[in-house]
Amino acid sequence: MPQAPARPRGGFARFLHRQHGSHRFRRLAWWGHAVGGAAHRHAAAQVGGALRGATRLSPEAALAHWHSSAEGLTEAQAQRVRRRAGPNQVGTEKPLPWPLHLWQAYRSPFSLLLTALAGVSWLTQDLRSATVILAMVALATGMRFVQERRSNRAADALKALVSSQASVLRPGRPPGEESMARLVPGDVVALSAGDMVPADARVLAAKDLFVNQAAMTGESLPVEKHARALEAVTDPLAADNLVFMGTNVVSGSATVLVVATGAHTFFGTLAGHAASTERAPTQFEAGINQVSRLLLRLMAVMVPLVLLFNGWGHGNWLEAFLFALSVAVGLTPEMLPMIVTSTLAKGAVAMARRQVIVKRLDAIQNLGAMDVLCTDKTGTLTQDHIALSHATDAWGRPDEGALRWAWLNSQHQTGLKNPMDRALLARGDLAGPCAGWTKLDEVPFDFQRRRMSVVLQPPDGGVARLVCKGAVEEVLACCTQVSQADAVQPLTPERLQAIRAAAAQLSAEGLRVVAVAWREMPAPATEPAAWHVADEAALTLAGFVAFLDPPKDSTAPALQALAGHGVTVKVLTGDGDAVTRQVCQQVGLTVSGVLLGPQVAALDDAALQAAVREANVFAKLAPQDKERIVRALRAQGHVVGFMGDGINDAPALHAADVGISVDSGVDIAKEVADIILLEKSLLVLDAGVVEGRKTFANMLKYIKMAASSNFGNVLSVLVASLLLPFLPMLPMHLLVQNLLYDFSQAAVPFDRVDDDLLAQPQRWNPDDLGRFMLTFGPISSIFDLATFALMWWGYGAQSPAQQTLFQSGWFVESLLTQTLVVHLIRSPRLPFVGSRAAPALLATTGALAVLALWLPQGPLAPWLKLQPLPASYFTLLPLLLLGYMACVQWAKRAWVRRHGWQ
């Protein structure tokens, strides 16, 4: 049974939990658990019984048990099961029903306090005030509800764009693609190389099926799966007739019967156990929580003082209590989670317009902070349109023999066909000469051996041949002989040196080189016949096949753009160093150092951290090497992005601060990634980086504006409470200000960002916020005090009978300074001249300024307990505002000199 989720840590996490939105900020626990750990043992115990039963059934009996057939369930059957079993999803909360969402939007401190004030007004027969306040409650609740609803829908719609698909069989039609979320127990699914297994399933039929299930069992090499029933199984994870959600097919093909979906799978149970344990907040959540705690600590100090000063000074403790509550609401960061979530969701929509899909919203912050990008060479620096150049013998002389062996290998292997396989098979003229060969077995590719082999029976039925192709050094390590003309010669050290020189010459020309070798294979003693890695020995080298993968025209400008935005690019590839150097030279990427896979494997973590600091090309890497390099860079304080789309990239994608894949990548890479590019291009990624920085910069603007403005207001209230014989503002005034100010900032996510703020990575540094608040908040208090003096001495508002005039004067000045602070703090430049806000923000702040001037003079003034101000006030007000702008601008320059501007 799924466990109840643990109470989230931190205000932001609790907000997401209430909104059923945690999955938009959370990575699934794919590589995050320890194999054999508590979560792993719990998941195995939960699902073990049902899975063990499936292993003992024959394929026919399994189909009958799940009321299915070899052609799968009908659509009507699947619909009935889906209603009972639910969607095949893990770690995704159900959408919050709109009535409950509306209640969540209402039950904020702001709305609850307004409701209390409306009740007090009604009890004191002040029906006009009660009406106004209830209208404010409806406006605040509606605005929050609509904004959150839109943001949630936008985020979910974007994620759905890159949902993984499965090939599902239905009676009477060929296999069709369906969303993995729609799978149900009893569905029959076709799997092939590169697919992610969509659910826990029983193998019905398999052909050379090898599955990578390292994330589940810790096995580093792919495991072969079969369809036969098993008699006694103690550990279902070790059963060779089961495949598990989240693993991926390395080679071969199969049809499988889904036996468990969603939370009832091994991975679903694992994720449920992770959700039931207390989860440490992410760096992003911790930053938001730190901001909230700062404002709450400030409130804990200020609010009691405001209550005591006003209660003792004025004698009306109820009024003082309501006023102190209004001050608390003004300081409470209850709008912060909603604004942050909305800003990130709107940023995700803007990034989607630039072909960048955000799967995890807080990845936007990491993308903007990224200062190191690790990327593959193929398809990123190069065109990924690999063309066959030519074939040579072992000494680099043109020869078609190696080409024919390579064509046979590609034709008969069932692994994920890479671009080189497709380039070979495009040579249709070889189909005739190579016809009639029959495949007996294969030894699939893995990233440790970096080669793969097929065993073929020749057309005449003679002795079988093992045909091996792969990376040059890895194939040479298995060779003891070499073809020369029509003879086979021993592979002496002198010949080996000449052969390596020939391969190096091809690589130096920018060609990708694959070695091809063969050997005669007598039938094995075991039945059924099977061949293994150990059979890749005593091979005869046939020669090399060279491929051309020219660089993209966009790569050089993209690298320059990324460098201009403070992002260092490091190339991580499985190819050799010579061809990688040549490509880097062609695209203008200066090679500062090269580190090869064997060197990476030989270094301990400390030495690797030192090595990755200088090197920017890493070649001949295994998957675990990529992951270690990413972790080493992160350990040095870098924010690391990893861009990959292959089966072997999943661990590194998970280890990076932000994992980036492409829409054409394999399922497992797309599932693990945080960001999906709809076009595999560094220019697209650079545009996404810029858009991510805009989104993050706008979020920081809101936090700075809200913190400094609120602190300044409360400081002014505290001083006024000591000096005045009446309240400087009524509770209603403070709440109206709060509502109008929040409305004016609703356009901050759409604001422009200065180019110089986009030029460098932006780090989340909440520690600076306290200093910023203490620097800029008191400036507004100084001009509030000047307004107090103007109203006290200039207009004689010195008694409770004249308090409405005093309160009206401060209401206008306070709202206008809050309007100005939006423009003053949004950029380090001179507002309106050096940096102009976006039209939407100009419109909302302009509307706020007009409202501030109109409310005391208009027909709503009596309802809000305001009164018209004398004309002379409006002649002096511009002087106060200009003085305020000058002081903030001076403080801003001093701040930039000392701290910079984030």
Side-chain angles (χ1 to χ4, degrees), residues 569-615:
V569 175
K570 294 181 182 286
V571 179
L572 278 61
T573 180
D575 288 343
D577 59 316
V579 66
T580 306
R581 282 178 183 270
Q582 179 68 18
V583 170
C584 290
Q585 180 181 347
Q586 290 171 342
V587 299
L589 180 64
T590 303
V591 178
S592 59
V594 177
L595 207 60
L596 302 181
Q599 296 171 308
V600 171
L603 296 174
D604 60 25
D605 290 344
L608 182 60
Q609 289 178 29
V612 299
R613 191 179 298 119
E614 300 300 327

Side-chain angles (χ1 to χ4, degrees), residues 83 261 265 284 418 501 546 552 584 616 773 800:
R83 283 194 291 269
T261 58
T265 62
F284 178 81
N418 60 38
K552 290 181 179 176
C584 290
N616 67 342
M773 186 174 69

Side-chain angles (χ1 to χ4, degrees), residues 220-568:
S220 59
L221 295 178
V223 178
E224 188 169 10
K225 300 289 183 177
H226 305 279
R228 60 178 178 263
L230 303 175
E231 292 184 1
V233 174
T234 54
D235 180 9
L237 292 177
D240 65 5
N241 60 2
L242 293 178
V243 290
F244 303 97
M245 172 188 272
T247 60
N248 59 279
V249 180
V250 176
S251 63
S253 60
T255 53
V256 299
L257 172 70
V258 174
V259 299
T261 58
H264 301 287
T265 62
F266 176 82
F267 174 63
T269 308
L270 184 71
H273 185 272
S276 69
T277 58
E278 192 173 79
R279 179 176 64 93
T282 65
Q283 180 195 23
F284 178 81
E285 291 175 357
I288 296 292
N289 293 337
Q290 190 169 338
V291 171
S292 300
R293 284 194 296 270
L294 175 65
L295 296 177
L296 289 172
R297 283 197 298 268
L298 182 64
M299 181 181 71
V301 173
M302 294 289 202
V303 171
L305 292 177
V306 169
L307 174 63
L308 292 175
F309 291 164
N310 283 290
W312 280 335
H314 309 148
N316 188 336
W317 284 95
L318 176 60
E319 186 180 60
F321 176 72
L322 292 174
F323 183 70
L325 278 183
S326 302
V327 171
V329 168
L331 271 177
T332 301
E334 49 95 12
M335 289 290 287
L336 179 61
M338 188 270 286
I339 289 289
V340 166
T341 306
S342 300
T343 302
L344 292 175
K346 288 170 182 170
V349 172
M351 292 172 72
R353 297 192 191 103
R354 295 181 175 271
Q355 306 293 295
V356 180
I357 304 298
V358 178
K359 288 179 57 186
R360 189 170 59 90
L361 286 180
D362 61 338
I364 293 176
Q365 183 252 328
N366 284 339
L367 188 64
M370 180 178 72
D371 62 341
V372 173
L373 172 65
C374 298
T375 181
D376 193 9
K377 169 181 66 66
T378 304
T380 306
L381 304 184
T382 63
Q383 293 179 9
D384 204 15
H385 295 306
I386 293 180
L388 177 63
S389 175
H390 62 285
T392 73
D393 64 10
W395 284 270
R397 298 184 296 253
D399 182 80
E400 293 287 300
L403 180 59
R404 285 191 292 272
W405 287 122
W407 192 94
L408 282 168
N409 179 288
S410 295
Q411 172 68 18
H412 292 282
Q413 65 106 348
T414 61
L416 184 65
K417 286 187 167 48
N418 60 38
M420 288 184 287
D421 288 313
R422 291 193 288 270
L424 280 166
L425 297 177
R427 283 287 302 269
D429 59 302
L430 293 174
C434 298
W437 289 77
T438 305
K439 178 183 169 184
L440 301 179
D441 200 5
E442 75 177 279
V443 185
F445 180 87
D446 68 61
F447 294 96
Q448 282 72 39
R449 291 164 38 249
R450 289 164 52 83
R451 60 181 183 265
M452 68 84 49
S453 300
V454 293
V455 181
L456 304 175
Q457 184 85 44
D460 60 6
V463 179
R465 302 287 182 98
L466 181 145
V467 183
C468 176
K469 80 173 190 300
V472 172
E473 288 299 328
E474 282 71 10
V475 172
L476 286 176
C478 301
C479 293
T480 57
Q481 302 174 103
V482 58
S483 295
Q484 187 170 13
D486 295 326
V488 173
Q489 303 291 340
L491 191 60
T492 62
E494 295 77 13
R495 290 187 176 120
L496 184 61
Q497 184 177 358
I499 289 167
R500 284 182 170 141
Q505 178 60 38
L506 292 171
S507 295
E509 295 171 7
L511 298 171
R512 297 180 66 175
V513 183
V514 169
V516 185
W518 59 273
R519 67 171 287 194
E520 293 184 346
M521 290 298 300
T526 58
E527 288 291 338
W531 285 266
H532 306 282
V533 172
D535 294 308
E536 294 178 327
L539 303 184
T540 299
L541 181 66
F544 303 116
V545 182
F547 300 87
L548 183 64
D549 187 13
K552 290 181 179 176
D553 295 336
S554 63
T555 299
L559 291 172
Q560 292 172 3
L562 286 167
H565 291 129
V567 179
T568 300

Side-chain angles (χ1 to χ4, degrees), residues 122 198 414 793:
W122 182 76
T414 61
W793 284 294

